[in-house]
Amino acid sequence: MNDSSKPPPFRNKNTWLIPFICLLVGGALIGISTNLAKYAGEVGVTPLAFLFWSITGAAVILWVIAFIRQELPPLSARSFEYYFVAALISVAGSNLLLFSAIPHVGAGFVALIISLPPLLTYLGALTLRMERFSIIRALGVAAALMGAGVLAIRKFTAPDASIFWIVIALCGPVLLAIGNIYRTLRWPDKASPSALAPGMLMAAALLLLIFSALPNFSVTVPIKEWLPLGVITIQAGVFAGQFLLLFVLQKTGGPVLLSLLGSVGAVVGVPVAIFLQGESPPAGLFLGASLIALGVALVTWGGVKMSSENS
């Protein structure tokens, strides 16, 4: 049965370039984002405040883009459900866990573990018959997962490992994988990516604001110096590009290719953490990063091949 509300993966052989570019650029923005979150903590911005204000800024940017393109977010009951559930799983919950863990486990490690969702997403997509089994794509997902696994195991066995925060950080990719499946299944009819992205981010900002009402949580930002505001402004732009590309990729590439955003983010984020943030290189970095890069290539190639066979 053909459900037009589900974003179709690789509709023809000539459309593979758009999702591939979205994958590379969107993944790079994720890698930059994790490092900005660490830097924000160093200049006195809490994870909750950093996430709330940068998401709010990104929502404003995307609302302006949607207004200019005359593609405002739909306001139906189905759309509101989509905004708030997707926001809780894919934005507010997952990013709050990951950003909170960064000061304890490092930006490099967080950049690496966001490459873990592909296996869960692929298995979920196969179970729900959203994806047809492909040995090439399965090998790609397995390679990316093994690459992240090598690095995660080395982190667990490090002498100064913080098991609690490692586990908290690992919960983030689980939520991201669930979000990949949910957003694909519940995509509102005829809604464009540029219309859905601002609605989801605004819902995420509202959820974070509600969360800030709990004791010992606040979205207050130090404003006596320009650095905190500058970092938040940059992150707002990064989030705007990241989530817009996420929806475009979901519409054109499907949930499995979408889940590899984190793998590309790892390849970008780890070198930034090492060379610009001064973190020590994770043990097993070369092997892990090579497997992740191989995984991205195989899944992309598999999607192109499936598209050619279906056209």
Side-chain angles (χ1 to χ4, degrees):
M1 181 175 66
N2 182 25
D3 184 351
S4 61
S5 69
K6 298 175 184 178
F10 295 103
R11 285 167 291 184
N12 61 65
K13 64 182 179 181
N14 297 319
T15 62
W16 68 270
L17 185 60
I18 292 175
F20 183 68
I21 292 174
C22 289
L23 174 63
L24 294 182
V25 178
L29 290 176
I30 291 175
I32 293 171
S33 178
T34 57
N35 283 278
L36 285 172
K38 179 180 179 180
Y39 186 71
E42 294 174 352
V43 297
V45 184
T46 65
L48 179 60
F50 179 67
L51 192 58
F52 169 75
W53 289 110
S54 56
I55 283 179
T56 301
V60 171
I61 293 171
L62 293 181
W63 270 92
V64 171
I65 293 173
F67 179 79
I68 293 172
R69 299 182 63 175
Q70 297 185 342
E71 295 180 346
L72 293 176
L75 301 178
S76 64
R78 166 79 175 276
S79 299
F80 275 104
E81 173 225 309
Y82 188 89
Y83 298 148
F84 279 94
V85 176
L88 177 62
I89 299 171
S90 304
V91 185
S94 56
N95 280 287
L96 188 57
L97 290 176
L98 292 170
F99 284 9
S100 297
I102 283 175
H104 307 278
V105 299
F109 179 70
V110 169
L112 289 167
I113 64 168
I114 55 176
S115 64
L116 291 174
L119 178 63
L120 296 175
T121 304
Y122 187 63
L123 292 176
L126 285 177
T127 302
L128 297 173
R129 298 184 180 180
M130 297 165 61
E131 284 274 341
R132 179 165 54 88
F133 180 78
S134 164
I135 186 63
I136 296 175
R137 303 192 93 185
L139 289 174
V141 170
L145 182 69
M146 284 191 296
V150 166
L151 295 156
I153 290 172
R154 294 294 185 90
K155 188 72 175 180
F156 267 116
T157 56
D160 58 344
S162 175
I163 303 301
F164 173 78
W165 284 108
I166 292 174
V167 172
I168 290 295
L170 289 172
C171 290
V174 176
L175 291 180
L176 290 173
I178 295 172
N180 291 340
I181 297 293
Y182 172 80
R183 290 193 313 275
T184 302
L185 286 175
R186 298 295 293 168
W187 187 284
D189 294 339
K190 299 180 181 179
S192 69
S194 57
L196 294 178
M200 184 184 73
L201 289 187
M202 188 59 71
L206 289 174
L207 291 173
L208 290 168
L209 186 61
I210 293 171
F211 186 76
S212 70
L214 296 174
N216 301 320
F217 290 95
S218 173
V219 294
T220 302
V221 175
I223 58 174
K224 293 182 179 180
E225 298 180 1
W226 66 269
L227 269 178
L229 295 178
V231 175
I232 289 173
T233 301
I234 294 172
Q235 180 63 41
V238 169
F239 266 151
Q242 175 185 323
F243 285 106
L244 181 59
L245 290 173
L246 179 147
F247 276 99
V248 173
L249 179 58
Q250 182 138 26
K251 187 71 172 176
T252 59
V256 176
L257 190 65
L258 175 76
S259 71
L260 289 175
L261 276 170
S263 300
V264 179
V267 175
V268 174
V270 174
V272 172
I274 293 171
F275 295 110
L276 297 183
Q277 300 269 39
E279 293 188 3
S280 300
L285 175 61
F286 178 77
L287 176 59
S290 298
L291 288 169
I292 289 170
L294 175 63
V296 172
L298 287 175
V299 171
T300 305
W301 178 38
V304 175
K305 188 172 181 180
M306 289 172 65
S307 172
S308 300
E309 292 172 353
N310 293 333
S311 61

